[in-house]
Amino acid sequence: MYEIVKAHALSEAVFEMWIRAPQVARNAQAGQFCIIHPDGAGERVPLTISGTEGDLIRISFMAIGTTTKLLATLSAGDCLRDVVGPLGMPSDIAKGPETVVIVGGGVGVACTPIIAQAAKDAGNYVIGIIGARNKSLLILEDEMREICDELFVTTDDGSYGIKGFASGPLQTLCESGRKIDKVWIIGPGMMMKVTSGVTKPYGIKTYVSLNPVMVDGTGMCGSCRVVVGGEMKFACVDGPEFDAHLVDWDDLLARQRMYLAEEKESVAYHEEHHVCRCREVA
């Protein structure tokens, strides 16, 4: 059993947990993920490792499906049945000096600090761009501001920071002629597709962290297959980070929608038979 040491809401729908998982924490690197099995009865959920501290790992998630809504009801002192990891390949972070841009959108912002910190520790100049639909949904701004050399904040509705999408400041940086060596983009599939299109004309190496349907996380089931550069890859063992300009986005987005009907049915059943204990935003 894996103890939840800290748990709280980052926004109205995004939650953060620090879990005691010594073996995972000691070996985890930026870009890798773990698989959480909360109670031994439900599904196994892949979640990016968004931070480590001693024997603890941090995960952040949006309470949107049956299992993530269950996770959102758990508090410090509760335990998880299984935590498997670290899984996947780590981020391709070079020793500096390079100029790198880390872009996060929505809940994807939760995955940006660990990459930004690793890039900073390697001697790189780090520019961060984080965005959300509105100010109330923006997360981890203070943490990213502390790590990054420069930070741009956007909201879709203009309620805070720059009005517009995270792709806006990235476009401005590319057009400015500044030397940018690498870009990481993490967020919803459509956001990553659109934002990575900004860097393509400039030939900037751009990575995205893909989140297809995943079951075992070790390359055995093949459910997380994606098409990259015309070849089939498994996100769990070949990724989760891939060259954004080689990803078949239409195939990925279609696969992400394959089980929408079943997911909605599961959530409806769960909500009918379960009393929610989700924490309020502090």
Side-chain angles (χ1 to χ4, degrees):
M1 303 295 282
Y2 295 83
E3 181 190 3
I4 299 169
V5 177
K6 293 182 283 188
H8 66 276
L10 295 175
S11 72
E12 63 184 48
V14 179
F15 297 82
E16 175 183 283
M17 284 182 177
W18 286 90
I19 303 163
R20 194 178 306 282
Q23 196 164 10
V24 181
R26 293 168 193 164
N27 295 283
Q29 299 181 62
Q32 294 184 298
F33 67 98
C34 62
I35 286 186
I36 305 292
H37 198 193
D39 58 6
E43 63 183 341
R44 306 163 78 247
V45 180
L47 294 168
T48 300
I49 298 168
S50 61
T52 61
E53 186 179 286
D55 287 344
L56 308 181
I57 63 169
R58 176 172 68 178
I59 60 168
S60 304
F61 57 92
M62 179 174 286
I64 192 171
T66 300
T67 302
T68 49
K69 286 187 175 185
L70 169 63
L71 280 173
T73 68
L74 302 180
S75 304
D78 290 334
C79 291
L80 302 172
R81 175 66 176 81
D82 295 300
V83 177
V84 180
L87 301 171
M89 301 296 291
S91 301
D92 181 22
I93 296 172
K95 292 290 184 182
E98 286 189 338
T99 297
V100 302
V101 181
I102 317 293
V103 185
V107 70
V109 173
C111 305
T112 59
I114 191 171
I115 299 176
Q117 187 66 65
K120 188 73 173 176
D121 291 344
N124 297 294
Y125 188 88
V126 180
I127 302 172
I129 303 173
I130 59 174
R133 292 200 307 273
N134 56 59
K135 184 178 180 179
S136 69
L137 296 176
L138 190 67
I139 61 174
L140 302 182
E141 178 189 357
D142 291 343
E143 187 171 345
M144 281 295 283
R145 198 171 293 282
E146 184 175 336
I147 298 168
C148 297
D149 295 287
E150 299 178 50
L151 181 68
F152 299 88
V153 179
T154 70
T155 51
D156 297 1
D157 64 359
S159 56
Y160 185 71
I162 302 167
K163 182 177 182 179
F165 304 128
S167 56
L170 181 60
Q171 181 76 53
T172 301
L173 287 169
C174 292
E175 291 175 349
S176 71
R178 293 178 62 177
K179 183 177 183 296
I180 298 173
D181 297 287
K182 290 177 182 175
V183 173
W184 276 265
I185 304 169
I186 307 167
M190 184 56 70
M191 173 265 184
M192 292 191 290
K193 175 183 179 180
V194 172
T195 307
S196 63
V198 171
T199 61
K200 191 171 184 178
Y202 299 93
I204 301 171
K205 186 72 172 180
T206 302
Y207 298 95
V208 287
S209 183
L210 301 187
N211 55 345
V213 173
M214 189 179 293
V215 179
D216 74 279
T218 61
M220 295 174 61
C221 71
S223 63
C224 69
R225 59 188 180 273
V226 293
V227 178
V228 181
E231 298 181 0
M232 186 179 72
K233 302 286 186 180
F234 289 172
C236 64
V237 292
D238 299 314
E241 294 183 359
F242 294 97
D243 186 328
H245 303 149
L246 298 180
V247 172
D248 184 332
W249 291 104
D250 292 338
D251 177 76
L252 174 70
L253 295 172
R255 289 185 60 78
Q256 288 179 329
R257 294 190 295 265
M258 284 178 64
Y259 299 105
L260 277 181
E262 290 82 359
E263 289 168 3
K264 290 178 180 178
E265 182 179 348
S266 175
V267 169
Y269 179 87
H270 178 77
E271 290 179 345
E272 182 180 349
H273 295 84
H274 175 76
V275 178
C276 182
R277 297 188 291 119
C278 292
R279 295 171 302 283
E280 298 293 333
V281 179

